[in-house]
Amino acid sequence: MSSSESGRQFINQPRLVVGEALEGCARLRHPDGSGVRLSDPASGMRLVVRDDWARDQVALISGGGSGHEPAHAGFIGAGMLTAAVCGELFASPTVDAVLAAIREVTGEAGALLIVKNYTGDRLNFGLAAERARQEGFKVEMVIVADDVALPDNPQPRGLAGTLLVHKVTGALAARGAGLKEITAVARRVADSCSTLGVAFNVGRHPGKPREQRAPELGLGIHGEPGAMALELGSDSGTHGVHAVMDTVVTALVQGHSRKDVGGDLPASGHLLLINDLGGCSALERSLLLEEALTHPSLQALGIHAVVGPQPLMTSLDMHGFSLTLLPLDSLLEEALSASCAPVAWPGVQPVTPLAHFTPSQDAVRTASDEASDARRAQARADCRERAARGVKSRAGLPGDPQVEQRLRAALEVLLASEADLDRLDAISGDGDTGSTFASGARAVIEALEDCELACGDSGELMATIGKQLAHGMGGSSGVLLSTLFTAAATRWKEQSDPNGQAPMSQRWHDALSHGVARMQHYGGASRGDRSLLDALLPALEALQSSLQTTPSARVDWAAMARAARQGADATAEMAKARAGRSAYVPSAHLVGNSDPGAEAVARVFEALADAAEEAAG
């Protein structure tokens, strides 16, 4: 096995790598003397903000899942971002974290959120913006969707073009432009730039083996399958970087031409950003630059300036690159060329004709390497102390042994299904559905053990589960399911039944149906979109059907489990997803494999049915 495949990584513990890496970066200052501050690890948030910020300009906030370094924390400083909100690897930060960042840096001039177009980021940053506006902050949000890999995708992914929005808006904010002007220019840049990438493999998660994949055009920065696999031979003379670059440029120019960028090309041509996705050597990057600048299609467009080639928006150590095109005008040229503090920004370099000379002596070559290593482990809050406080304050909550038994059964099946669901999600996503649901299950189990769940009060039970999922589950699934339980709890309390005359099963149906409707409202998914709704909605319909037959009957868990299972199995026949990261995946990777979220829901209802049967027997 070669050294590149030996499995060694420069890490301590995988679960600490994000926090330790941020601490390492925060120990250095920019050449202008400025630096960054980190949020206290005990807060459970990873916020990175300028240490010289005076709240006298428009604040620029970005972020998302970690693993794309130096994006986004590496671009904090004068002339670029004010703050970054960092999630776990490939997982969106929480609503509370984004809102905390807004509160920390926003002054009278307001704030602009710059968000990559992924479901979790849209949901969490969007809800944080709404809550910030409620608090009186002036907040705008721009979503970047520059990917052109999948022409028919209604929700193109946000890629390296996001960094051009950072730079342009940073320059405008530094010279005192207002929020309205900055937002308008940001949207113009986001709408007019186009990005396409290619990679030989996916990035390797810390502590895990690398997934073996064929080279793919349009491979996502979270490891989502690309638009098509590339058949590359072993003969570098005919299947080397020249052939790869031709494939990428041809598809990129076609995708870029489909965008409405305002008529004729600007007089100043285009800017080209060349982004190393994490695993290219410096030698490879130089070859990529040469191949790109000499490609006839890019020469015809008029590439007048280049950013990179450098690692800018990476995917761990993915061996690949992406190209981004942006039409230029005088305003954008000035903003992109303006000075800024972050050293991760390589600057804009004008393109010049190649010039040769005849050397009179051997050329002298110099090289320098820099490395930084952080060893400080991330501190965490004392959960046992929190649990003790919970026992003291909530020990008298009403209980119901049957409800607790069924709840435990559902939670335990999610824990037992973690590996299965992760394997299923790896086919159409980033392989974390099982771990995400298991994290939520652990949060609820912890609350149950700490006597924080009122199993004898359905409304209070759903409200507390909603809170636990919001803080402990993560990802867009955590936000969506928290929304479901929170809204269901609200409906339950609105339909108070002090005399106990309404059938309990009817109240459960009404509350859960309301919760699902609110979840659909915010998440945007519907039945048939290949999501957990394809199992959840049939289960609720089965409950409603049993109520119509016998209104006073108890919940028919077995019927609900059968309906959920049929719905989950049916997702394996759906060739197109319209929600979540599966929406970016070609149909060939979907057909024959159930949606992992729907599978999780089906297993939960099966566990509930088994628990109900055991209690009845």
Side-chain angles (χ1 to χ4, degrees), residues 281-291 309:
S281 67
L283 187 62
E284 288 175 299
R285 293 197 293 267
S286 297
L287 287 170
L288 293 172
L289 175 62
E290 169 65 8
E291 289 292 337

Side-chain angles (χ1 to χ4, degrees), residues 3-359:
S3 59
S4 62
E5 300 173 334
S6 65
R8 297 186 180 94
Q9 293 176 301
F10 292 108
I11 63 172
N12 294 310
Q13 299 181 49
R15 66 183 181 86
L16 301 178
V17 66
V18 173
E20 290 180 346
L22 288 175
E23 290 171 354
C25 294
R27 294 178 186 275
L28 301 181
R29 289 196 170 274
H30 299 313
D32 68 352
S34 66
V36 298
R37 296 181 296 124
L38 301 181
S39 57
D40 187 341
S43 69
M45 304 175 187
R46 293 194 175 99
L47 313 182
V48 189
V49 304
R50 285 176 56 176
D51 68 357
D52 62 345
W53 184 242
R55 298 192 186 184
D56 55 351
Q57 300 168 354
V58 173
L60 304 175
I61 304 172
S62 192
S66 298
H68 307 303
E69 291 70 23
H72 295 273
F75 298 107
I76 295 175
M80 290 195 76
L81 293 178
T82 312
V85 192
C86 305
E88 294 292 345
L89 287 176
F90 296 170
S92 178
T94 65
V95 175
D96 288 343
V98 179
L99 183 58
I102 295 173
R103 292 169 178 156
E104 181 68 22
V105 301
T106 305
E108 290 295 325
L112 174 64
L113 309 184
I114 303 169
V115 181
K116 301 189 299 297
N117 191 29
Y118 295 95
T119 303
D121 289 347
R122 290 200 316 270
L123 286 169
N124 291 313
F125 278 80
L127 180 54
E130 293 296 331
R131 290 174 61 183
R133 293 186 188 111
Q134 276 189 335
E135 296 180 13
F137 292 100
K138 292 191 295 185
V139 178
E140 295 291 342
M141 188 168 94
V142 169
I143 296 175
V144 186
D146 52 319
D147 182 33
V148 296
L150 303 171
D152 299 325
N153 184 10
Q155 293 287 348
R157 299 168 287 198
L159 301 173
T162 309
L163 307 180
L164 299 178
V165 181
H166 292 173
K167 183 62 184 69
V168 171
T169 56
L172 294 177
R175 74 183 192 194
L179 180 59
K180 182 177 180 180
E181 177 187 354
I182 293 174
T183 302
V185 175
R187 289 202 172 106
R188 179 157 66 90
V189 174
D191 292 343
S192 59
C193 65
S194 303
T195 299
L196 183 63
V198 67
F200 290 144
N201 58 30
V202 296
R204 181 181 168 216
H205 283 248
K208 295 183 179 181
R210 188 189 306 277
E211 180 187 355
Q212 299 303 310
R213 299 265 285 275
E216 294 180 63
L217 179 69
L219 184 66
I221 59 173
H222 305 101
E224 309 98 323
M228 63 180 230
L230 299 181
E231 297 293 331
L232 301 178
S234 59
D235 184 355
S236 61
T238 57
H239 295 91
V241 64
H242 183 78
V244 174
M245 183 63 72
D246 183 64
T247 300
V248 174
V249 170
T250 299
L252 173 63
V253 172
Q254 289 176 351
H256 189 58
S257 67
R258 291 191 293 267
K259 291 198 172 186
D260 180 11
V261 295
D264 296 335
L265 293 178
S268 43
H270 277 73
L271 175 137
L272 175 67
L273 184 150
I274 305 177
N275 173 48
D276 174 4
L277 286 166
C280 294
S281 67
L283 187 62
E284 288 175 299
R285 293 197 293 267
S286 297
L287 287 170
L288 293 172
L289 175 62
E290 169 65 8
E291 289 292 337
L293 292 180
T294 57
H295 194 283
S297 295
L298 293 182
Q299 289 183 329
L301 276 180
I303 304 300
H304 291 185
V306 172
V307 175
Q310 287 293 327
L312 300 168
M313 175 78 73
T314 65
S315 179
L316 298 172
D317 62 347
M318 179 183 285
H319 194 183
F321 69 93
S322 66
L323 303 179
T324 301
L325 288 171
L326 174 68
L328 293 173
D329 60 20
S330 58
L331 184 151
L332 297 185
E333 279 195 295
E334 179 181 351
L336 288 164
S337 300
S339 62
C340 64
V343 295
W345 177 253
V348 176
Q349 300 181 77
V351 177
T352 185
L354 185 64
H356 291 101
F357 75 100
T358 301

Side-chain angles (χ1 to χ4, degrees), residues 480-499:
L480 290 170
L481 290 175
S482 175
T483 299
L484 187 159
F485 281 101
T486 301
T490 300
R491 176 54 58 91
W492 185 278
K493 294 174 182 178
E494 289 174 349
Q495 298 179 338
S496 176
D497 183 30
N499 297 322

